[in-house]
Amino acid sequence: MKLTFENRKALVTGAGRGIGKAIAMELAQQGVHVVCVSQNPASCGAAAEEIKAAGHSAESHAVDVGDGEAVQVLSDAILKEHGAIDIIVNNAGITRDMLLMRMKDEEWDDVLRTNLNSCFYWSKGLMQAMARKRWGRVINIGSVIGLMGNAGQANYAAAKAGMIGFTKSLAREYAKRNVTANVVAPGFIKTDMTEVLNEEVTSAILQQIPLKRLGEASDIANMVAFLASEEAGYITGQTFTVDGGMVM
């Protein structure tokens, strides 16, 4: 099925590498102008340059997505330049894994601030203009860990589970403005995060996945592109696992 995008503009956080970069590339290939955001100016800048070198449209901005004031300043600048952003993809995330009894306050706060607070900051900064346009897509990148929990990841699981409730609330608040909000929850995907796992851990993970392989970043990007398209206009408030059948 050929997806339809009508002169859309998207903002993708964590676009410098991994899943975020794949999402930015896929949306750009679909004809969307992509605003690549990450904390590292070199990585989001390189992603935007790669998109432009492929003949597509992009720009980059570096910001700490967990800094509410900084996100508001950048949101205002982006709206001044573009008028409105049509598609928000909240993908930026970090891990600070540790068993609960050893988890430090800053390890809890850092993960909640970057993974969950950032969704609030970007939504607050950009959705008013989106609502006025009466068309929009918000796609939050969760995780199967937010659905099933995981030992050593109480902070990460809490942030991703919170993202689901946040998204459902956005879906209800903005439906009358023709703005949809959904979550894509990846399973174990080949990224920098999974490359550090040893063979024993990887083998144990594969035993839990019916399709018996790790996912590709493109698997997530394809789902995001569909949810961002015109064709997904009657889907909102949902969480879609892309995990090889691990959670069902």
Side-chain angles (χ1 to χ4, degrees):
M1 178 174 65
K2 180 175 173 55
L3 298 175
T4 307
F5 292 89
E6 298 176 352
N7 192 30
R8 300 303 182 192
K9 297 168 184 172
L11 180 139
V12 181
T13 69
R17 61 180 184 170
I19 291 172
K21 183 177 178 181
I23 292 169
M25 293 289 181
E26 177 61 31
L27 290 175
Q29 288 172 8
Q30 296 282 352
V32 175
H33 174 80
V34 181
V35 180
C36 298
V37 172
S38 76
Q39 190 168 13
N40 186 328
S43 65
C44 64
E49 290 303 315
E50 189 173 336
I51 288 171
K52 289 190 283 188
H56 308 301
S57 179
E59 63 187 79
S60 65
H61 298 279
V63 70
D64 176 1
V65 297
D67 182 336
E69 291 185 9
V71 169
Q72 187 60 58
V73 170
L74 180 54
S75 295
D76 290 344
I78 289 171
L79 292 179
K80 185 176 181 181
E81 172 70 22
H82 295 289
I85 291 294
D86 305 293
I87 302 161
I88 305 171
V89 182
N90 285 304
N91 165 75
I94 61 172
T95 56
R96 297 287 186 270
D97 297 351
M98 184 59 64
L99 292 174
L100 178 63
M101 295 306 294
R102 299 176 183 171
M103 187 176 289
K104 299 175 182 175
D105 288 357
E106 56 265 35
E107 292 170 333
W108 172 270
D109 291 338
D110 285 349
V111 170
L112 270 291
R113 188 174 63 85
T114 300
N115 297 16
L116 181 58
N117 291 8
S118 61
C119 299
F120 166 66
Y121 298 146
W122 285 113
S123 300
K124 194 173 180 182
L126 298 175
M127 286 191 73
Q128 189 172 351
M130 181 184 284
R132 282 198 297 267
K133 198 172 179 181
R134 292 187 175 274
W135 194 99
R137 303 280 189 262
V138 179
I139 301 158
N140 294 323
I141 306 303
S143 169
V144 292
I145 302 302
L147 296 170
M148 57 189 283
N150 196 30
Q153 291 194 300
N155 47 4
Y156 189 77
K160 296 300 186 181
M163 185 183 286
I164 292 172
F166 176 74
T167 305
K168 289 178 182 290
S169 298
L170 287 188
R172 292 187 182 278
E173 286 188 26
Y174 285 89
K176 60 186 176 185
R177 295 287 181 171
N178 196 32
V179 174
T180 66
N182 292 287
V183 175
V184 174
F188 287 96
I189 307 297
K190 291 180 182 176
T191 65
D192 294 347
M193 285 187 186
T194 55
E195 281 184 359
V196 301
L197 302 176
N198 62 40
E199 187 174 339
E200 182 180 358
V201 172
T202 302
S203 178
I205 291 170
L206 292 178
Q207 293 303 312
Q208 304 175 53
I209 303 174
L211 286 179
K212 299 300 180 189
R213 68 172 178 84
L214 299 183
E216 303 287 345
S218 60
D219 293 322
I220 309 305
N222 290 336
M223 173 59 87
V224 170
F226 171 70
L227 291 173
S229 71
E230 296 286 340
E231 282 75 12
Y234 199 54
I235 303 170
T236 195
Q238 304 303 309
T239 299
F240 297 91
T241 56
V242 182
D243 62 354
M246 189 172 74
V247 178
M248 66 170 102

